């Protein structure tokens, strides 16, 4: 109980050596062993918090008791080493307890996207074949009629509520559990093909725990931090970078259940959030709100603040100190961001100007990069040595990353090797073999380059490349990135190729654009009304032309399609390109 972290650590995980032998035996702890270590270090610190009608918080010792209660119940009800347990619902402490209890029981957790349709969820359940399925109250009646072994994440379903499941003999049940080891599959995460051929990524305890600690090589986190789980926690990004990172150091996780601005502002402020992870869309909207508030103070104030932001940024880059937090304290406070220490954007490229603006305002803002198959983090910008255009620096020597068959500009497919690379795809040996090449290297499917200092720069996904008549490769993501500052007019833009010449199969560049509600309001028109298309085009076409001037000739958009309905998106706000 009296053990503390080393004062002078060569790595963020050096402190684990004090717990080896007593709490774990392997190279890395398993996820349950990691949680037990944090519970032993910080038993009375806040672990899981949610804001409902009131604030509800579990300390580490309280969370451990609930996790062990459920793990014992699992064992008593037939769950054995390697069995599957599924969970699907809004972010909540109950969701977290199910996730961890399954692992404590030696089982594999299968987190399922709550944003899917019922039939899609049922398809994934049929593939995963879990012993038990935990779901939120809205869908509990549906699935409890469809299958047995369904329990609720909501206290509204009293008899089946997760916290009410207790073993008759907790001590004997816990003693009977075959604990997982490092190489066991901890979680199966389904990435796509929900109605066709679902692809389940098998991540081991070693994958998750090693990636969690290795990522801390480029970013300091502490037990005093408060992480905000706003994005869906079933997704690898939030699961690792928020949920598992927080419990690895004994920090607190605040679970956000929806992206409603008023609720988010309350949770940011009352939760005293220090670690804010989001996707580009979230940060674009936050910055737009901040700048709008500054502009309303008049041109003179706006000009002064913009000048101070520039000075703040230069001081930070040159002297490695952060004056912005004090200079812009009132601005950040009004946006409920005054407590935020680090903000991380993932899930897609972020406009460099947005990245820079947050750093100017005093928030250590960085980008990360990874895939579900890599647990997911494989690159992260160090907070005081960030490069705006880069998605992050790798973690050499604890992993390796390189470019496969680079062209004259050093651009090619990114491949990765290290302890965070997945075990494989569930029951898919051929698909697994297709993404691995000699000696354990994993093909990411992403195209990019790596500079001499090991910073990674993305161009786009290999499968999305547009090949023009001149044989040039165009990356849609690079073009889409140029439109991020026009989100007041454009809610969604998807760049893709269209066939210009059937014989040569050459492609032109098309932009599919879904205009924002704000634009319709500004133009005083309604979607679908006569003449609305022409009015919208009169605004959209000049924007496209402006962006085209900043692009190389072969990258320029030659076809604009105005969408009446938005394209389907993932829960991390990325368009599903290949449907």
């Amino acid at each position: 109980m009296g053990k503390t972290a080393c004062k002078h650590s060569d790595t963020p995980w050096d402190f684990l050596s004090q717990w080896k032998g007593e709490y774990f035996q392997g190279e890395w702890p398993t996820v349950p062993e990691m949680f037990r270590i944090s519970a032993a270090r910080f038993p009375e610190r806040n672990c899981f918090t949610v804001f409902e009608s009131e604030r509800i918080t579990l300390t580490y010792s309280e969370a451990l008791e609930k996790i062990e209660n459920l793990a014992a119940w699992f064992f008593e009800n037939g769950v054995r080493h390697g069995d599957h347990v599924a969970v699907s619902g809004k972010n909540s402490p109950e969701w977290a307890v199910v996730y961890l209890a399954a692992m404590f029981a030696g089982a594999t957790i299968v987190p399922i996207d709550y944003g899917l349709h019922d039939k899609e969820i049922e398809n994934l359940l049929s593939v995963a074949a879990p012993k038990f399925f935990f779901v939120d109250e809205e869908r509990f009646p549906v699935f409890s009629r469809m299958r047995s072994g369904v329990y609720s994440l909501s206290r509204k379903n009293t008899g089946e509520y997760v916290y009410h499941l207790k073993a008759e003999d907790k001590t004997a049940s816990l003693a009977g559990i075959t604990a997982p080891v490092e190489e066991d599959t901890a979680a199966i995460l389904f990435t796509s093909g929900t109605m066709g051929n679902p692809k389940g990524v098998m991540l081991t305890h070693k994958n998750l725990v090693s990636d969690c600690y290795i990522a801390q090589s480029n970013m300091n986190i502490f037990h005093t931090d408060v992480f905000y789980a706003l994005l869906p926690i079933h997704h690898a990004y939030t699961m690792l970078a928020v949920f598992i990172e927080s419990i690895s150091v004994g920090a607190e996780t605040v679970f956000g259940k929806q992206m409603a601005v008023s609720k988010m502002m309350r949770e940011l402020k009352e939760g005293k959030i220090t670690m804010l992870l989001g996707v580009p869309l979230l940060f674009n909207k936050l910055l737009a709100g901040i700048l709008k508030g500054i502009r309303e103070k008049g041109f003179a104030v706006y000009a002064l603040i913009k000048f101070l932001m520039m000075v703040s940024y230069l001081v930070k880059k040159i002297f490695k100190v952060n004056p912005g937090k004090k200079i812009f304290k009132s601005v950040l406070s009004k946006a409920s961001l005054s407590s935020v220490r680090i903000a991380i954007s993932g899930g897609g490229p972020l406009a460099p100007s947005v990245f820079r603006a947050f750093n100017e305002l005093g928030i250590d803002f960085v980008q990360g990069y990874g895939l579900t198959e890599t647990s997911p983090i494989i690159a992260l910008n160090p907070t005081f040595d960030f490069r705006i255009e880069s998605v992050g620096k790798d973690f050499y020597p604890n992993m390796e990353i390189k470019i496969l068959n680079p062209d004259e500009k050093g651009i090619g497919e990114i491949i990765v090797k290290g302890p965070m690379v997945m075990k494989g795809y569930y029951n898919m040996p051929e698909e697994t073999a297709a993404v691995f090449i000699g000696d354990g290297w994993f093909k990411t499917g992403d195209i990019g380059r790596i500079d001499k200092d090991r910073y990674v720069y993305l161009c786009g996904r290999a499968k999305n490349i547009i090949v023009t008549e001149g044989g040039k490769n165009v990356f849609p993501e690079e073009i889409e990135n140029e439109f991020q500052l026009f989100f007041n007019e454009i809610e969604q833009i998807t760049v893709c190729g269209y066939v210009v010449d059937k014989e040569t199969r050459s492609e032109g560049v098309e932009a599919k654009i879904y205009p924002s509600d704000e634009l319709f309001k500004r133009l005083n028109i309604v979607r679908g009304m006569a003449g609305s298309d022409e009015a919208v085009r009169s605004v959209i076409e000049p924007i496209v032309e402006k962006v085209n001037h900043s692009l190389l000739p072969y990258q320029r958009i030659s076809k604009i399609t105005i969408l009446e309905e938005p394209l389907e998106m993932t829960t991390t706000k990325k368009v599903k390109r290949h449907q």
Side-chain angles (χ1 to χ4, degrees):
M1 292 289 287
K3 297 179 183 179
T4 57
C6 302
K7 290 182 179 179
H8 301 287
S9 294
D10 293 324
T11 68
W13 56 93
D14 274 2
F15 77 93
L16 289 174
S17 62
Q18 300 176 59
W19 303 87
K20 193 166 184 176
E22 182 183 357
Y23 275 72
F24 72 102
Q25 307 297 327
E27 180 186 2
W28 298 94
T30 60
V31 174
E33 288 167 340
M34 182 177 72
F35 190 90
R36 287 188 188 280
I37 290 170
S38 289
R41 296 174 77 200
F42 309 107
E44 300 310 313
R45 279 201 61 78
N46 290 347
C47 181
F48 301 142
T49 292
V50 66
F51 290 92
E52 293 180 345
S53 56
E54 58 182 0
R55 178 184 178 128
I56 301 171
T57 297
L58 296 176
T59 64
Y60 269 86
S61 59
E62 289 169 340
L64 180 60
E65 182 182 7
K66 290 188 182 298
I67 292 162
E68 288 185 334
N69 283 341
L70 185 56
W73 183 88
F74 279 147
F75 181 82
E76 204 169 81
N77 286 273
V79 173
R80 295 295 181 265
H81 187 271
D83 285 344
H84 296 173
V85 173
V87 60
S88 183
K90 298 181 291 292
N91 295 354
S92 68
E94 288 89 345
W95 193 105
V97 166
V98 171
Y99 181 98
L100 291 167
M103 294 183 185
F104 269 64
T108 297
I109 189 68
V110 183
I112 295 177
D113 185 351
Y114 198 60
L116 297 175
H117 300 300
D118 292 345
K119 287 183 180 179
E120 293 173 320
I121 292 176
E122 178 56 32
N123 187 46
L124 295 183
L125 291 173
S126 297
V127 173
K131 282 282 186 77
F132 295 104
F133 177 42
F134 290 79
V135 67
D136 262 346
E137 73 272 12
E138 299 94 342
R139 280 177 158 153
F140 175 75
V142 175
F143 286 98
S144 59
R145 286 195 301 267
M146 292 169 65
R147 54 173 53 236
S148 60
V150 177
Y151 290 87
S152 178
L153 297 174
S154 170
R155 62 183 71 249
K156 293 176 183 177
N157 305 109
T158 308
E160 297 84 3
Y161 179 45
V162 56
Y163 287 172
H164 292 164
L165 305 178
K166 304 285 179 66
E168 290 185 12
D169 190 338
K170 177 181 176 180
T171 303
S173 294
L174 290 176
I177 290 171
T178 301
V181 296
E182 281 181 278
E183 301 300 337
D184 285 340
T185 302
I188 297 175
L189 276 58
F190 287 99
T191 60
S192 60
T194 52
M195 287 306 289
N197 197 13
K199 190 180 285 186
V201 175
M202 296 187 292
L203 298 177
T204 66
H205 288 270
K206 183 176 182 178
N207 288 155
L208 294 172
V209 175
S210 68
D211 196 42
C212 159
Y213 284 115
I214 288 171
Q216 293 173 36
S217 303
N218 288 1
M219 181 180 67
N220 292 323
I221 61 174
F222 310 99
H223 70 275
T224 50
D225 276 317
V226 182
F227 287 73
Y228 191 26
L230 179 62
L231 297 175
I233 202 168
H234 76 272
H235 192 274
Y237 174 39
T238 316
M239 184 185 302
L240 193 288
V242 178
F243 177 49
I244 293 177
E245 286 288 359
S246 67
I247 63 176
S248 77
V249 296
E252 179 181 5
T253 299
V254 172
F255 295 95
K257 294 194 174 189
Q258 53 185 304
M259 279 200 206
V261 174
S262 58
K263 196 169 193 311
M264 185 178 76
M265 292 302 182
R266 179 200 170 195
E267 289 168 345
L268 281 168
K269 188 175 182 178
E270 294 186 24
K272 298 180 180 177
I273 305 300
T274 66
M275 303 292 294
L276 176 61
L277 284 83
V279 291
L281 180 65
L282 171 67
F283 291 114
N284 284 338
K285 289 189 173 182
L286 280 174
L287 182 61
I290 292 171
L291 295 179
K292 182 182 177 183
I294 295 172
R295 285 193 191 96
E296 287 173 353
K297 296 180 182 295
F299 177 77
V301 172
Y302 180 75
L304 175 61
I305 289 179
K306 288 295 287 183
F307 172 73
L308 291 174
M309 286 171 68
M310 182 183 70
V311 172
S312 168
Y313 182 80
L314 291 173
V315 169
K316 186 174 187 180
K317 284 295 284 183
I318 296 169
F319 300 106
K320 310 297 184 187
V321 294
N322 185 6
K325 208 70 185 286
K326 289 184 178 179
I327 297 173
F328 305 110
K329 185 177 180 180
S330 62
V331 173
L332 295 173
S333 182
K334 193 172 182 181
S336 299
L337 296 174
S338 57
S339 63
V340 173
R341 189 171 66 83
I342 296 176
I344 302 175
S345 179
L350 183 74
S353 55
V354 177
F355 191 141
R356 175 169 175 143
F358 276 102
N359 274 292
E360 289 174 337
L361 289 166
I363 293 174
D364 287 338
F365 194 98
V366 297
Q367 286 196 88
Y369 164 59
L371 302 91
T372 303
E373 290 89 340
T374 58
S375 302
I377 308 172
I378 49 177
L380 187 66
N381 264 296
T383 51
F384 278 96
D385 196 13
F386 60 87
R387 298 187 183 177
I388 287 179
E389 296 81 8
S390 170
V391 292
K393 187 178 183 181
D394 73 357
F395 306 114
Y396 183 84
N398 296 298
M399 63 160 287
E400 296 177 77
I401 185 168
K402 64 182 183 182
I403 302 299
L404 181 66
N405 302 323
D407 64 13
E408 67 280 0
K409 296 180 181 178
I411 296 172
E413 184 174 1
I414 298 168
I415 60 174
V416 181
K417 182 180 179 182
M420 66 285 295
V421 175
M422 70 168 182
K423 190 175 186 176
Y425 296 117
Y426 180 61
N427 286 345
M428 287 185 162
E430 291 182 6
E431 289 81 353
T432 299
V435 295
F436 283 96
I437 56 177
D439 199 24
W441 286 93
F442 171 74
K443 297 172 67 179
T444 66
D446 285 318
I447 305 298
R449 63 182 178 87
I450 303 169
D451 70 15
K452 61 182 178 60
D453 298 316
R454 305 195 321 275
Y455 284 79
V456 180
Y457 300 81
L458 288 186
C459 297
R461 294 290 291 169
K463 62 184 178 182
N464 297 338
I465 292 175
I466 301 166
V467 182
T468 68
E469 187 176 11
K472 297 285 189 180
N473 289 338
V474 176
F475 300 100
E477 295 88 346
E478 289 185 337
I479 300 172
E480 292 164 359
N481 192 35
E482 296 296 318
F483 286 87
Q484 286 198 36
L485 295 185
F486 296 103
F487 50 80
N488 286 327
E489 295 83 16
I490 297 172
E491 182 172 319
Q492 185 188 89
I493 177 166
T494 303
V495 173
C496 55
Y498 71 97
V499 177
V500 175
D501 189 320
K502 289 183 179 180
E503 287 188 16
T504 63
R505 294 185 181 179
S506 62
E507 298 177 290
V509 181
E510 177 184 4
K512 295 180 178 180
I513 294 173
Y514 181 68
S516 68
D517 290 340
E518 194 171 325
L519 175 58
F520 279 89
K521 192 182 296 182
R522 196 172 84 206
L523 295 173
N524 196 28
I525 57 175
V526 178
R527 290 186 196 273
M529 69 181 289
S532 64
D533 190 63
E534 291 78 6
V536 167
R537 279 187 176 273
S538 70
V539 175
I540 297 298
E541 287 179 349
I543 292 174
V544 172
E545 190 58 32
K546 183 175 181 180
V547 169
N548 271 344
H549 281 304
S550 69
L551 301 172
L552 294 170
Y554 66 86
Q555 294 177 305
R556 290 172 184 164
I557 294 164
S558 54
K559 180 180 179 182
I560 301 171
T561 301
I562 304 295
L563 302 173
E564 293 183 4
E565 298 285 339
L567 296 174
E568 188 179 359
M569 302 184 82
T570 68
T571 46
T572 52
K573 305 303 178 186
K574 289 191 289 189
V575 169
K576 293 183 178 180
R577 291 180 187 271
H578 306 278
Q579 301 181 57

